Amino acid sequence: ELLRGPQGTLFGRNATAAAVSITTQDPGGEGHVKASVSLANYDGYRYELTAHTPELGPLSGYFSYVKNKYRGHVKNGLSHTFDRVTNAIKYAKYVKSSPWLGGKDSDSVFASVKFESGDFKAVYKYDRNDMVATPDAVGVFEYDARLGLGALFGGYVNAIIDGNVANGLPIASNRKRPNEVWNSYNTLLEQSNFGHSLTISYAVNDQISIKNI
């Protein structure tokens, strides 16, 4: 829902003009399971599983899992291994260039439990996403270094590029997405995020309700 006007009271100081409120579904209390599978080009596939539990007294639950993966549409013609073992970073390891660019491998989990008794309701929700993605490809469709570097130095740079083109450097001369690029610096992006929420509400009467998020 789109909430117009200042919303700082409920959503914080960054909601001066308005807020977009996205609400995930609560457990429905009717037991059923749903599954779906889809296939795509570039070795892509997606499957989803959702399950609602029946009401067990005041309790009901909901669970979903989504797997979404595709290989990427551009081949990376250069490979390099970066030594990050000796770096002072939290996850130090050897990192290789991505063989394909523009791909993604994502796993998403969502779970919710609801307790409802009379005018009192409490809903706990947990969601997590783990994703490994590759950057989009960066390619060359036209070049002339003389335009910015002058005739002498620009011609020297052009000669270097021409030599790489002769050795196989992909050039998208038709200005369309190439099938292959040389992006040895593009490595996998690993990202994880998760969150918890608990919403407790109590209806005092028809006019007054109390909610704690």
Side-chain angles (χ1 to χ4, degrees), residues 156-182:
Y156 175 70
V157 174
N158 278 349
I160 295 176
I161 299 176
D162 289 338
N164 282 279
V165 172
N167 289 326
L169 173 67
I171 298 292
S173 57
N174 57 2
R175 300 198 177 190
K176 295 183 179 180
R177 184 174 66 196
N179 294 323
E180 182 180 341
V181 294
W182 286 8

PDB file of all heavy atoms in Angstrom, residues 156-182:
ATOM      1  N   TYR A 156      49.425   4.754 -30.834  1.00  0.00           N
ATOM      2  CA  TYR A 156      50.149   3.691 -30.119  1.00  0.00           C
ATOM      3  C   TYR A 156      49.169   2.809 -29.342  1.00  0.00           C
ATOM      4  O   TYR A 156      49.267   1.587 -29.356  1.00  0.00           O
ATOM      5  CB  TYR A 156      51.172   4.333 -29.188  1.00  0.00           C
ATOM      6  CG  TYR A 156      51.898   3.353 -28.297  1.00  0.00           C
ATOM      7  CD1 TYR A 156      52.829   2.445 -28.824  1.00  0.00           C
ATOM      8  CD2 TYR A 156      51.645   3.316 -26.933  1.00  0.00           C
ATOM      9  CE1 TYR A 156      53.487   1.544 -28.006  1.00  0.00           C
ATOM     10  CE2 TYR A 156      52.303   2.428 -26.108  1.00  0.00           C
ATOM     11  CZ  TYR A 156      53.222   1.542 -26.648  1.00  0.00           C
ATOM     12  OH  TYR A 156      53.863   0.652 -25.841  1.00  0.00           O
ATOM     13  N   VAL A 157      48.204   3.438 -28.660  1.00  0.00           N
ATOM     14  CA  VAL A 157      47.199   2.676 -27.923  1.00  0.00           C
ATOM     15  C   VAL A 157      46.340   1.857 -28.882  1.00  0.00           C
ATOM     16  O   VAL A 157      46.003   0.692 -28.615  1.00  0.00           O
ATOM     17  CB  VAL A 157      46.329   3.617 -27.067  1.00  0.00           C
ATOM     18  CG1 VAL A 157      45.195   2.845 -26.406  1.00  0.00           C
ATOM     19  CG2 VAL A 157      47.178   4.318 -26.015  1.00  0.00           C
ATOM     20  N   ASN A 158      45.978   2.448 -30.012  1.00  0.00           N
ATOM     21  CA  ASN A 158      45.204   1.708 -31.017  1.00  0.00           C
ATOM     22  C   ASN A 158      45.956   0.461 -31.481  1.00  0.00           C
ATOM     23  O   ASN A 158      45.358  -0.602 -31.696  1.00  0.00           O
ATOM     24  CB  ASN A 158      44.909   2.597 -32.217  1.00  0.00           C
ATOM     25  CG  ASN A 158      43.712   3.507 -31.995  1.00  0.00           C
ATOM     26  OD1 ASN A 158      42.980   3.335 -31.027  1.00  0.00           O
ATOM     27  ND2 ASN A 158      43.527   4.469 -32.879  1.00  0.00           N
ATOM     28  N   ALA A 159      47.268   0.597 -31.633  1.00  0.00           N
ATOM     29  CA  ALA A 159      48.059  -0.554 -32.067  1.00  0.00           C
ATOM     30  C   ALA A 159      48.022  -1.668 -31.037  1.00  0.00           C
ATOM     31  O   ALA A 159      47.961  -2.858 -31.380  1.00  0.00           O
ATOM     32  CB  ALA A 159      49.496  -0.116 -32.341  1.00  0.00           C
ATOM     33  N   ILE A 160      48.029  -1.292 -29.741  1.00  0.00           N
ATOM     34  CA  ILE A 160      47.953  -2.305 -28.685  1.00  0.00           C
ATOM     35  C   ILE A 160      46.596  -3.016 -28.741  1.00  0.00           C
ATOM     36  O   ILE A 160      46.514  -4.248 -28.650  1.00  0.00           O
ATOM     37  CB  ILE A 160      48.170  -1.659 -27.304  1.00  0.00           C
ATOM     38  CG1 ILE A 160      49.588  -1.105 -27.198  1.00  0.00           C
ATOM     39  CG2 ILE A 160      47.901  -2.670 -26.190  1.00  0.00           C
ATOM     40  CD1 ILE A 160      49.853  -0.371 -25.905  1.00  0.00           C
ATOM     41  N   ILE A 161      45.523  -2.232 -28.896  1.00  0.00           N
ATOM     42  CA  ILE A 161      44.186  -2.835 -28.968  1.00  0.00           C
ATOM     43  C   ILE A 161      44.064  -3.705 -30.208  1.00  0.00           C
ATOM     44  O   ILE A 161      43.518  -4.812 -30.155  1.00  0.00           O
ATOM     45  CB  ILE A 161      43.103  -1.741 -28.955  1.00  0.00           C
ATOM     46  CG1 ILE A 161      43.189  -0.923 -27.663  1.00  0.00           C
ATOM     47  CG2 ILE A 161      41.715  -2.357 -29.088  1.00  0.00           C
ATOM     48  CD1 ILE A 161      42.222   0.235 -27.593  1.00  0.00           C
ATOM     49  N   ASP A 162      44.588  -3.218 -31.337  1.00  0.00           N
ATOM     50  CA  ASP A 162      44.529  -4.014 -32.568  1.00  0.00           C
ATOM     51  C   ASP A 162      45.228  -5.356 -32.392  1.00  0.00           C
ATOM     52  O   ASP A 162      44.779  -6.386 -32.909  1.00  0.00           O
ATOM     53  CB  ASP A 162      45.179  -3.237 -33.721  1.00  0.00           C
ATOM     54  CG  ASP A 162      44.336  -2.048 -34.169  1.00  0.00           C
ATOM     55  OD1 ASP A 162      43.108  -2.056 -33.906  1.00  0.00           O
ATOM     56  OD2 ASP A 162      44.902  -1.116 -34.766  1.00  0.00           O
ATOM     57  N   GLY A 163      46.350  -5.341 -31.646  1.00  0.00           N
ATOM     58  CA  GLY A 163      47.049  -6.592 -31.405  1.00  0.00           C
ATOM     59  C   GLY A 163      46.223  -7.555 -30.584  1.00  0.00           C
ATOM     60  O   GLY A 163      46.213  -8.762 -30.833  1.00  0.00           O
ATOM     61  N   ASN A 164      45.499  -7.029 -29.585  1.00  0.00           N
ATOM     62  CA  ASN A 164      44.625  -7.881 -28.777  1.00  0.00           C
ATOM     63  C   ASN A 164      43.444  -8.394 -29.590  1.00  0.00           C
ATOM     64  O   ASN A 164      43.015  -9.536 -29.418  1.00  0.00           O
ATOM     65  CB  ASN A 164      44.129  -7.116 -27.548  1.00  0.00           C
ATOM     66  CG  ASN A 164      45.162  -7.027 -26.449  1.00  0.00           C
ATOM     67  OD1 ASN A 164      45.347  -7.958 -25.673  1.00  0.00           O
ATOM     68  ND2 ASN A 164      45.868  -5.904 -26.385  1.00  0.00           N
ATOM     69  N   VAL A 165      42.908  -7.570 -30.478  1.00  0.00           N
ATOM     70  CA  VAL A 165      41.816  -8.022 -31.344  1.00  0.00           C
ATOM     71  C   VAL A 165      42.300  -9.156 -32.240  1.00  0.00           C
ATOM     72  O   VAL A 165      41.606 -10.158 -32.463  1.00  0.00           O
ATOM     73  CB  VAL A 165      41.277  -6.854 -32.176  1.00  0.00           C
ATOM     74  CG1 VAL A 165      40.281  -7.351 -33.223  1.00  0.00           C
ATOM     75  CG2 VAL A 165      40.615  -5.825 -31.282  1.00  0.00           C
ATOM     76  N   ALA A 166      43.530  -9.026 -32.752  1.00  0.00           N
ATOM     77  CA  ALA A 166      44.089 -10.086 -33.593  1.00  0.00           C
ATOM     78  C   ALA A 166      44.273 -11.374 -32.811  1.00  0.00           C
ATOM     79  O   ALA A 166      44.213 -12.476 -33.381  1.00  0.00           O
ATOM     80  CB  ALA A 166      45.424  -9.628 -34.178  1.00  0.00           C
ATOM     81  N   ASN A 167      44.475 -11.265 -31.495  1.00  0.00           N
ATOM     82  CA  ASN A 167      44.656 -12.450 -30.653  1.00  0.00           C
ATOM     83  C   ASN A 167      43.350 -12.974 -30.077  1.00  0.00           C
ATOM     84  O   ASN A 167      43.365 -13.885 -29.246  1.00  0.00           O
ATOM     85  CB  ASN A 167      45.630 -12.132 -29.518  1.00  0.00           C
ATOM     86  CG  ASN A 167      47.065 -11.968 -30.000  1.00  0.00           C
ATOM     87  OD1 ASN A 167      47.486 -12.636 -30.947  1.00  0.00           O
ATOM     88  ND2 ASN A 167      47.795 -11.064 -29.379  1.00  0.00           N
ATOM     89  N   GLY A 168      42.224 -12.370 -30.486  1.00  0.00           N
ATOM     90  CA  GLY A 168      40.940 -12.915 -30.069  1.00  0.00           C
ATOM     91  C   GLY A 168      40.076 -12.030 -29.201  1.00  0.00           C
ATOM     92  O   GLY A 168      39.008 -12.456 -28.756  1.00  0.00           O
ATOM     93  N   LEU A 169      40.509 -10.792 -28.883  1.00  0.00           N
ATOM     94  CA  LEU A 169      39.682  -9.891 -28.079  1.00  0.00           C
ATOM     95  C   LEU A 169      38.342  -9.669 -28.765  1.00  0.00           C
ATOM     96  O   LEU A 169      38.286  -9.197 -29.904  1.00  0.00           O
ATOM     97  CB  LEU A 169      40.394  -8.549 -27.885  1.00  0.00           C
ATOM     98  CG  LEU A 169      39.582  -7.449 -27.195  1.00  0.00           C
ATOM     99  CD1 LEU A 169      39.302  -7.824 -25.747  1.00  0.00           C
ATOM    100  CD2 LEU A 169      40.311  -6.107 -27.269  1.00  0.00           C
ATOM    101  N   PRO A 170      37.220 -10.012 -28.105  1.00  0.00           N
ATOM    102  CA  PRO A 170      35.910  -9.865 -28.745  1.00  0.00           C
ATOM    103  C   PRO A 170      35.541  -8.388 -28.930  1.00  0.00           C
ATOM    104  O   PRO A 170      35.684  -7.579 -28.027  1.00  0.00           O
ATOM    105  CB  PRO A 170      34.945 -10.542 -27.763  1.00  0.00           C
ATOM    106  CG  PRO A 170      35.811 -11.364 -26.855  1.00  0.00           C
ATOM    107  CD  PRO A 170      37.110 -10.643 -26.783  1.00  0.00           C
ATOM    108  N   ILE A 171      35.074  -8.050 -30.104  1.00  0.00           N
ATOM    109  CA  ILE A 171      34.596  -6.705 -30.410  1.00  0.00           C
ATOM    110  C   ILE A 171      33.162  -6.822 -30.925  1.00  0.00           C
ATOM    111  O   ILE A 171      32.898  -7.535 -31.904  1.00  0.00           O
ATOM    112  CB  ILE A 171      35.459  -6.015 -31.476  1.00  0.00           C
ATOM    113  CG1 ILE A 171      36.892  -5.857 -30.960  1.00  0.00           C
ATOM    114  CG2 ILE A 171      34.876  -4.654 -31.845  1.00  0.00           C
ATOM    115  CD1 ILE A 171      37.040  -4.887 -29.808  1.00  0.00           C
ATOM    116  N   ALA A 172      32.249  -6.119 -30.273  1.00  0.00           N
ATOM    117  CA  ALA A 172      30.840  -6.147 -30.699  1.00  0.00           C
ATOM    118  C   ALA A 172      30.634  -5.047 -31.729  1.00  0.00           C
ATOM    119  O   ALA A 172      30.020  -4.008 -31.458  1.00  0.00           O
ATOM    120  CB  ALA A 172      29.921  -5.976 -29.504  1.00  0.00           C
ATOM    121  N   SER A 173      31.138  -5.247 -32.913  1.00  0.00           N
ATOM    122  CA  SER A 173      31.082  -4.208 -33.941  1.00  0.00           C
ATOM    123  C   SER A 173      29.657  -3.898 -34.390  1.00  0.00           C
ATOM    124  O   SER A 173      29.381  -2.817 -34.904  1.00  0.00           O
ATOM    125  CB  SER A 173      31.927  -4.630 -35.148  1.00  0.00           C
ATOM    126  OG  SER A 173      31.483  -5.881 -35.649  1.00  0.00           O
ATOM    127  N   ASN A 174      28.729  -4.851 -34.216  1.00  0.00           N
ATOM    128  CA  ASN A 174      27.335  -4.607 -34.571  1.00  0.00           C
ATOM    129  C   ASN A 174      26.570  -3.895 -33.459  1.00  0.00           C
ATOM    130  O   ASN A 174      25.377  -3.652 -33.572  1.00  0.00           O
ATOM    131  CB  ASN A 174      26.638  -5.915 -34.914  1.00  0.00           C
ATOM    132  CG  ASN A 174      26.705  -6.933 -33.770  1.00  0.00           C
ATOM    133  OD1 ASN A 174      27.237  -6.656 -32.694  1.00  0.00           O
ATOM    134  ND2 ASN A 174      26.188  -8.114 -34.016  1.00  0.00           N
ATOM    135  N   ARG A 175      27.269  -3.566 -32.369  1.00  0.00           N
ATOM    136  CA  ARG A 175      26.697  -2.846 -31.225  1.00  0.00           C
ATOM    137  C   ARG A 175      25.579  -3.636 -30.545  1.00  0.00           C
ATOM    138  O   ARG A 175      24.712  -3.063 -29.896  1.00  0.00           O
ATOM    139  CB  ARG A 175      26.201  -1.456 -31.635  1.00  0.00           C
ATOM    140  CG  ARG A 175      27.300  -0.578 -32.192  1.00  0.00           C
ATOM    141  CD  ARG A 175      26.917   0.871 -32.176  1.00  0.00           C
ATOM    142  NE  ARG A 175      28.013   1.700 -32.642  1.00  0.00           N
ATOM    143  CZ  ARG A 175      28.036   3.030 -32.555  1.00  0.00           C
ATOM    144  NH1 ARG A 175      27.020   3.653 -32.004  1.00  0.00           N
ATOM    145  NH2 ARG A 175      29.054   3.705 -33.002  1.00  0.00           N
ATOM    146  N   LYS A 176      25.618  -4.923 -30.688  1.00  0.00           N
ATOM    147  CA  LYS A 176      24.695  -5.792 -29.978  1.00  0.00           C
ATOM    148  C   LYS A 176      25.462  -6.558 -28.908  1.00  0.00           C
ATOM    149  O   LYS A 176      26.684  -6.602 -28.920  1.00  0.00           O
ATOM    150  CB  LYS A 176      24.008  -6.776 -30.948  1.00  0.00           C
ATOM    151  CG  LYS A 176      23.110  -6.095 -31.967  1.00  0.00           C
ATOM    152  CD  LYS A 176      22.415  -7.128 -32.848  1.00  0.00           C
ATOM    153  CE  LYS A 176      21.492  -6.452 -33.841  1.00  0.00           C
ATOM    154  NZ  LYS A 176      20.809  -7.446 -34.721  1.00  0.00           N
ATOM    155  N   ARG A 177      24.727  -7.169 -27.987  1.00  0.00           N
ATOM    156  CA  ARG A 177      25.363  -7.891 -26.893  1.00  0.00           C
ATOM    157  C   ARG A 177      26.230  -9.020 -27.440  1.00  0.00           C
ATOM    158  O   ARG A 177      25.740  -9.888 -28.174  1.00  0.00           O
ATOM    159  CB  ARG A 177      24.302  -8.455 -25.957  1.00  0.00           C
ATOM    160  CG  ARG A 177      24.891  -9.144 -24.731  1.00  0.00           C
ATOM    161  CD  ARG A 177      23.798  -9.564 -23.767  1.00  0.00           C
ATOM    162  NE  ARG A 177      22.948 -10.595 -24.360  1.00  0.00           N
ATOM    163  CZ  ARG A 177      21.754 -10.931 -23.898  1.00  0.00           C
ATOM    164  NH1 ARG A 177      21.260 -10.289 -22.864  1.00  0.00           N
ATOM    165  NH2 ARG A 177      21.053 -11.888 -24.467  1.00  0.00           N
ATOM    166  N   PRO A 178      27.512  -9.042 -27.090  1.00  0.00           N
ATOM    167  CA  PRO A 178      28.402 -10.087 -27.621  1.00  0.00           C
ATOM    168  C   PRO A 178      28.184 -11.416 -26.919  1.00  0.00           C
ATOM    169  O   PRO A 178      27.626 -11.479 -25.822  1.00  0.00           O
ATOM    170  CB  PRO A 178      29.795  -9.523 -27.336  1.00  0.00           C
ATOM    171  CG  PRO A 178      29.602  -8.694 -26.095  1.00  0.00           C
ATOM    172  CD  PRO A 178      28.222  -8.091 -26.211  1.00  0.00           C
ATOM    173  N   ASN A 179      28.631 -12.469 -27.558  1.00  0.00           N
ATOM    174  CA  ASN A 179      28.572 -13.790 -26.930  1.00  0.00           C
ATOM    175  C   ASN A 179      29.723 -14.023 -25.962  1.00  0.00           C
ATOM    176  O   ASN A 179      29.653 -14.904 -25.117  1.00  0.00           O
ATOM    177  CB  ASN A 179      28.586 -14.879 -28.009  1.00  0.00           C
ATOM    178  CG  ASN A 179      27.340 -14.856 -28.875  1.00  0.00           C
ATOM    179  OD1 ASN A 179      26.245 -14.589 -28.391  1.00  0.00           O
ATOM    180  ND2 ASN A 179      27.517 -15.106 -30.168  1.00  0.00           N
ATOM    181  N   GLU A 180      30.801 -13.210 -26.113  1.00  0.00           N
ATOM    182  CA  GLU A 180      31.976 -13.396 -25.266  1.00  0.00           C
ATOM    183  C   GLU A 180      32.663 -12.063 -25.038  1.00  0.00           C
ATOM    184  O   GLU A 180      32.669 -11.200 -25.924  1.00  0.00           O
ATOM    185  CB  GLU A 180      32.956 -14.377 -25.916  1.00  0.00           C
ATOM    186  CG  GLU A 180      34.202 -14.663 -25.081  1.00  0.00           C
ATOM    187  CD  GLU A 180      35.142 -15.647 -25.754  1.00  0.00           C
ATOM    188  OE1 GLU A 180      34.676 -16.365 -26.657  1.00  0.00           O
ATOM    189  OE2 GLU A 180      36.329 -15.685 -25.367  1.00  0.00           O
ATOM    190  N   VAL A 181      33.201 -11.875 -23.831  1.00  0.00           N
ATOM    191  CA  VAL A 181      34.001 -10.702 -23.501  1.00  0.00           C
ATOM    192  C   VAL A 181      35.232 -11.158 -22.726  1.00  0.00           C
ATOM    193  O   VAL A 181      35.332 -12.310 -22.319  1.00  0.00           O
ATOM    194  CB  VAL A 181      33.189  -9.681 -22.660  1.00  0.00           C
ATOM    195  CG1 VAL A 181      32.045  -9.095 -23.453  1.00  0.00           C
ATOM    196  CG2 VAL A 181      32.688 -10.324 -21.370  1.00  0.00           C
ATOM    197  N   TRP A 182      36.140 -10.217 -22.511  1.00  0.00           N
ATOM    198  CA  TRP A 182      37.314 -10.490 -21.684  1.00  0.00           C
ATOM    199  C   TRP A 182      37.195  -9.656 -20.410  1.00  0.00           C
ATOM    200  O   TRP A 182      37.589  -8.500 -20.361  1.00  0.00           O
ATOM    201  CB  TRP A 182      38.607 -10.126 -22.438  1.00  0.00           C
ATOM    202  CG  TRP A 182      38.973 -11.101 -23.512  1.00  0.00           C
ATOM    203  CD1 TRP A 182      38.230 -12.132 -23.973  1.00  0.00           C
ATOM    204  CD2 TRP A 182      40.184 -11.108 -24.270  1.00  0.00           C
ATOM    205  NE1 TRP A 182      38.890 -12.804 -24.966  1.00  0.00           N
ATOM    206  CE2 TRP A 182      40.098 -12.195 -25.174  1.00  0.00           C
ATOM    207  CE3 TRP A 182      41.322 -10.320 -24.285  1.00  0.00           C
ATOM    208  CZ2 TRP A 182      41.114 -12.495 -26.074  1.00  0.00           C
ATOM    209  CZ3 TRP A 182      42.331 -10.613 -25.171  1.00  0.00           C
ATOM    210  CH2 TRP A 182      42.229 -11.701 -26.054  1.00  0.00           C
TER     211      TRP A 182
END
